[in-house]
Amino acid sequence: MLIKYKEWDGNAPAGLILSDHDFNQFRHWIFEISGISMGPSKKALVAGRLARRVQHHGLRSFHAYFEHLHRDTAEHQIAIDLLTTNETHFFREPRHFELLRDVVLPGHTGAHPLRIWSAASSTGQEAYSIAMLLAHTLGQTPWEVFGSDLSTRVLEQACSALYDIAMAREIPEDFLRKFCLKGVGAQAGRFLIAPEVTAHVYFSQINLNQELPNVGDFDVIFLRNVLIYFNEETKRGVIDRLQKKLRPGGWFFVGHSESLNGVNPALESYGYSVYRKRVPGAPPAPPPKRRHT
């Protein structure tokens, strides 16, 4: 059973005011946990997303709710989930999937199972997009996709592999026919990622702002559209921890509006917001070949 919290990004109800002092407390709290920096423009969002939780507990103020967070472990996770949810889509930023298909996968030797980490997987669309491409391209070559996120709420949906039918338009037609099952009856209006894909995908809660658990080594890491929420110090720490999980010669994908230039010496730019981990003694990676249109 999926549980979906009702979120509201508007203003808090009349009489429930988020003061600058209380907003700064929430900003500091979420930064300490996740490394996410919330600017002043996020004040209305914080008020809107937490207002219903204030009312749910019969509290009179955001300050009382902030104090309640430190006494209630379950509420602690609910607030994290509400404040860290990020937008995601199937096959977002298509050029990255083209590069994965045309450059990364042909270079895999098959000496070990190909492992890809979607390090901020949210509700799972990125992880399943990668998995569908691998299932289509690699044949019998062993592979797996690991997805992680700080929010347990979004991971619950990711594990279900069940999505609103409107999202199907984001998936290439051949992948949609091959790897997606259209819901009927009680599941009408939704679709399910097929078992031959989900059998190779697993998810776990991980806080990238803390020491990483033993998840093994990866050939590719996706960390897209997340770094923009971090300050420079947090960004460097996150990238340093992640690149240690990347095999030499492995690939690191960030969002098109993000850059790792000068962030970590182990990673060199390949172009298109893609980086490779240096192989000791190897020459610099060649630039990507641009397609003629």
Side-chain angles (χ1 to χ4, degrees):
M1 177 179 177
L2 293 176
I3 301 174
K4 185 174 183 180
Y5 294 110
K6 294 181 178 179
E7 294 185 27
W8 179 34
D9 289 340
N11 295 320
L16 189 58
I17 305 299
L18 179 62
S19 68
D20 289 341
H21 172 75
D22 291 336
F23 174 55
N24 286 332
Q25 285 189 309
F26 284 114
R27 288 172 65 186
H28 179 74
W29 177 74
I30 200 64
F31 175 78
E32 288 297 315
I33 292 171
S34 69
I36 294 176
S37 298
M38 288 188 168
S41 63
K42 300 296 183 181
K43 183 177 179 180
L45 180 145
V46 171
R49 291 193 173 184
L50 297 183
R52 291 182 182 272
R53 302 307 301 170
V54 177
Q55 294 180 315
H56 172 81
H57 291 287
L59 302 172
R60 292 191 172 188
S61 68
F62 285 103
H63 180 74
Y65 178 69
F66 184 78
E67 293 183 336
H68 177 77
L69 282 179
H70 294 80
R71 300 191 299 268
D72 188 333
T73 304
E75 189 67 28
H76 189 274
Q77 185 61 53
I78 291 173
I80 292 173
D81 290 348
L82 291 174
L83 295 179
T84 58
T85 302
N86 294 310
E87 181 183 14
T88 185
H89 303 283
F90 285 102
F91 292 94
R92 187 179 187 181
E93 300 179 350
R95 187 181 292 274
H96 281 166
F97 291 94
E98 294 172 5
L99 192 145
L100 181 63
R101 179 194 64 204
D102 298 337
V103 178
V104 178
L105 297 186
H108 179 59
T109 65
H112 57 263
L114 180 75
R115 301 189 73 224
I116 298 182
W117 185 0
S118 172
S121 62
S122 188
T123 44
Q125 287 94 322
E126 179 179 82
Y128 289 126
S129 297
I130 296 168
M132 283 188 270
L133 179 60
L134 299 188
H136 178 75
T137 305
L138 291 183
Q140 298 302 311
T141 302
W143 59 270
E144 64 182 35
V145 176
F146 174 47
S148 68
D149 203 277
L150 178 63
S151 168
T152 56
R153 181 173 64 97
V154 297
L155 289 175
E156 184 179 7
Q157 181 173 351
C159 290
S160 78
L162 191 64
Y163 298 94
D164 190 281
I165 197 68
M167 297 181 184
R169 65 176 181 269
E170 303 169 350
I171 301 174
E173 185 66 28
D174 54 340
F175 287 5
L176 189 62
R177 291 195 304 266
K178 188 175 183 181
F179 299 124
C180 300
L181 306 174
K182 186 177 181 180
V184 296
Q187 297 297 339
R190 298 196 284 183
F191 71 95
L192 184 73
I193 307 297
E196 58 263 38
V197 173
T198 59
H200 297 268
V201 183
Y202 62 104
F203 295 92
S204 180
Q205 183 191 32
I206 290 181
N207 187 343
L208 301 178
N209 200 39
Q210 297 177 356
E211 183 178 352
L212 299 177
N214 183 16
V215 292
D217 296 327
F218 293 87
D219 301 282
V220 184
I221 294 177
F222 279 70
L223 185 70
R224 304 191 300 170
N225 308 300
V226 175
L227 298 176
I228 54 175
Y229 299 104
F230 297 154
N231 63 26
E232 283 301 312
E233 181 181 0
T234 302
K235 181 193 298 186
R236 290 178 184 277
V238 168
I239 297 303
D240 182 62
R241 285 186 285 274
L242 285 173
Q243 67 85 17
K244 291 176 181 176
K245 302 295 184 181
L246 191 64
R247 292 188 173 102
W251 300 80
F252 201 109
F253 288 72
V254 298
H256 285 334
S257 63
E258 299 170 321
S259 172
L260 299 184
N261 292 335
V263 172
N264 192 291
L267 301 172
E268 58 184 2
S269 176
Y270 183 84
Y272 306 133
S273 301
V274 179
Y275 297 80
R276 293 197 75 177
K277 186 170 182 177
R278 295 181 185 275
V279 177
K289 294 181 179 179
R290 297 184 180 276
R291 292 185 174 184
H292 296 286
T293 58

